[in-house]
Amino acid sequence: CAPGDEKYACDVDLNMRARARSPPVVSSRSGSGDAPGPFYCGPKTDYNGFTGHWSFEDNKEIFQSAKQNRLGRTDVQGCCFWGRGSVPIKGTCAYGKLNYYLGKRAADEGRQAMFPDIDFCQNPGAICHDKHPDLKWIVGFFRWITEIQEYDVGDFNYMKQLRKYVDDGFKDSDFIDSVSGIVSQGCHTPPCIEGAQFLREEKRANFVKVLKMLGFSVP
């Protein structure tokens, strides 16, 4: 959690089981179109203690041996808080903050709640459920307001850089890279996660496309 946000964090239920409704969006290095299956989580007893790993070289999942992630984990016990929403939130702190302001915790503590019947800590997959088709978009706006607009790290303050980008006539592609990095990897100098892909030109093109669709004159 960010300093001061520890109070929001969800308690982790090690017996929770969940499976994503669709596979993650990745690019195959071989161009074959193969990709990892949907994310899932569950107790270690469900999969003999380790999950295997995805090989981008062979475009298949390897189950014969364990491979540690950046945190030294080889299992997905309690790891149910993956990215969900139009601008994905992820992690126990982000889901806990969502629950604190919009979910069941807000209602239980006497605050107005948009979704008083949803405990996002106990049911993170509710974001993608058909019962609330607008929820994935609300979650995206929530993350944008609480994390992206508030981003102020090192020499990059989002609001100041946004004003500069607009005042300079939408010409600085570095701003697009920085915002894309904050959204996808949590930093303004991507790539900042070892082994992670950062499709710079694709992200720039999409950003400019949306601005033009909104009627802005972009170089």
Side-chain angles (χ1 to χ4, degrees), residues 62-130:
I62 308 297
F63 292 101
Q64 289 80 1
S65 61
K67 185 173 183 179
Q68 294 183 347
N69 65 9
R70 291 185 298 121
L71 300 178
R73 294 282 299 272
T74 60
D75 65 274
V76 290
Q77 181 170 270
C79 302
C80 305
F81 299 92
W82 56 73
R84 299 178 177 92
S86 57
V87 181
I89 65 167
K90 57 185 176 181
T92 56
C93 289
Y95 277 88
K97 183 177 285 188
L98 181 70
N99 204 39
Y100 182 90
Y101 285 106
L102 301 185
K104 188 174 185 297
R105 182 177 173 184
D108 290 347
E109 296 180 356
R111 295 185 298 278
Q112 185 175 358
M114 186 175 291
F115 301 98
D117 59 328
I118 300 179
D119 188 330
F120 292 103
C121 289
Q122 291 296 315
N123 184 18
I127 291 173
C128 303
H129 199 280
D130 294 337

Side-chain angles (χ1 to χ4, degrees), residues 26-39:
V26 298
S27 297
S28 169
R29 295 178 186 173
S30 69
S32 67
D34 294 329
F39 291 136

Side-chain angles (χ1 to χ4, degrees), residues 10-79:
C10 295
D11 292 329
V12 177
D13 178 3
L14 298 180
N15 293 313
M16 183 185 294
R17 292 179 174 86
R19 182 174 290 272
R21 302 183 67 178
S22 59
V25 178
V26 298
S27 297
S28 169
R29 295 178 186 173
S30 69
S32 67
D34 294 329
F39 291 136
Y40 65 92
C41 67
K44 294 179 182 179
T45 52
D46 287 358
Y47 40 82
N48 297 320
F50 68 89
T51 59
H53 64 280
W54 179 263
S55 170
F56 282 98
E57 285 72 27
D58 300 322
N59 287 304
K60 65 180 181 180
E61 196 163 3
I62 308 297
F63 292 101
Q64 289 80 1
S65 61
K67 185 173 183 179
Q68 294 183 347
N69 65 9
R70 291 185 298 121
L71 300 178
R73 294 282 299 272
T74 60
D75 65 274
V76 290
Q77 181 170 270
C79 302

Side-chain angles (χ1 to χ4, degrees), residues 25-30 56 180 184-185 190-200 203:
V25 178
V26 298
S27 297
S28 169
R29 295 178 186 173
S30 69
F56 282 98
S180 298
S184 63
Q185 300 184 18
C192 46
I193 297 177
E194 184 179 355
Q197 290 181 309
F198 186 73
L199 305 177
R200 192 178 307 274
K203 292 178 182 296

Side-chain angles (χ1 to χ4, degrees), residues 165-205:
Y165 177 66
V166 175
D167 291 344
D168 290 346
F170 306 97
K171 296 177 182 179
D172 185 8
S173 295
D174 289 342
F175 174 77
I176 301 175
D177 297 342
S178 294
V179 175
S180 298
I182 296 168
V183 171
S184 63
Q185 300 184 18
C187 79
H188 64 280
T189 55
C192 46
I193 297 177
E194 184 179 355
Q197 290 181 309
F198 186 73
L199 305 177
R200 192 178 307 274
E201 296 306 319
E202 180 179 316
K203 292 178 182 296
R204 288 181 179 182

